[in-house]
Amino acid sequence: MRLRSKIIQVVLPLIILPLIVSGVFTHRSFEKILYNIFKSRAENDLSQLSLILDNEINAAKNNLNLLSLNKGFKNYAVADELDQAEIFHLPLWNLVADYQKAYPQYYDIRYISADGNEIFRRDILGSNAASNTIAKSLLTNKAVSSIKYFY
């Protein structure tokens, strides 16, 4: 009986101790490898997201420049308020509607004067989405807004 207990006391640590040590070592190795994999994937995802956002911002700026070169916008900008409402409003409205059909991400297009007054707005998502009509009383001065419209 003494020999059996001595064998268990000697052999068991020789088997179990290496298993525990190798388990701890393997766990730490896998933990480092997985951490590095997830970190590199997260960095790649963030850089892709940054590129996508930069492309969207550049596309929006280019579309804005293209829209600002349109003769309808130029005529609307220099016309007095009566001519804006009677002559230029419908062509500008149709132009903006076509833009919103081509670029649905531009769900709210506004024309804001240099002094910050909102002159024209076409919204395809808000409470007036069915008619896309924004009442003149709802147009506001964006110069006093908390949103940064002017860069």
Side-chain angles (χ1 to χ4, degrees), residues 105-145:
Q105 66 269 30
Y106 302 147
Y107 56 87
D108 187 12
I109 295 180
R110 301 170 187 217
Y111 178 76
I112 301 174
S113 67
D115 60 351
N117 289 319
E118 189 176 24
I119 298 171
F120 175 91
R121 181 184 348 163
R122 186 169 192 282
D123 183 6
I124 59 174
L125 287 184
S127 59
N128 301 313
S131 65
N132 305 116
T133 304
I134 306 299
K136 192 87 169 158
S137 62
L138 295 176
L139 300 178
T140 58
N141 187 325
K142 299 300 175 193
V144 295
S145 173

Side-chain angles (χ1 to χ4, degrees), residues 8 20 42 48 54 59-60 62-63 69 74-75 101 114-116 121 129 135 142 149:
I8 290 174
I20 291 173
Q48 280 182 333
D54 287 342
N62 291 334
N63 284 329
L69 295 175
K74 287 182 179 182
N75 289 338
K101 284 178 189 170
D115 60 351
R121 181 184 348 163
K142 299 300 175 193
Y149 285 93

Side-chain angles (χ1 to χ4, degrees), residues 67-110:
L67 203 57
S68 70
L69 295 175
N70 183 284
K71 199 170 198 169
F73 261 111
K74 287 182 179 182
N75 289 338
Y76 194 85
V78 296
D80 61 6
E81 193 172 325
L82 185 61
D83 285 343
Q84 283 178 346
E86 291 182 1
I87 300 170
F88 299 114
H89 189 78
L90 186 60
L92 184 64
W93 189 263
N94 292 333
L95 175 70
V96 170
D98 290 341
Y99 249 84
Q100 287 177 321
K101 284 178 189 170
Y103 303 100
Q105 66 269 30
Y106 302 147
Y107 56 87
D108 187 12
I109 295 180
R110 301 170 187 217

Side-chain angles (χ1 to χ4, degrees), residues 56-66 106:
E56 286 293 323
I57 290 170
N58 288 334
K61 286 179 181 179
N62 291 334
N63 284 329
L64 181 62
N65 286 335
L66 184 64
Y106 302 147

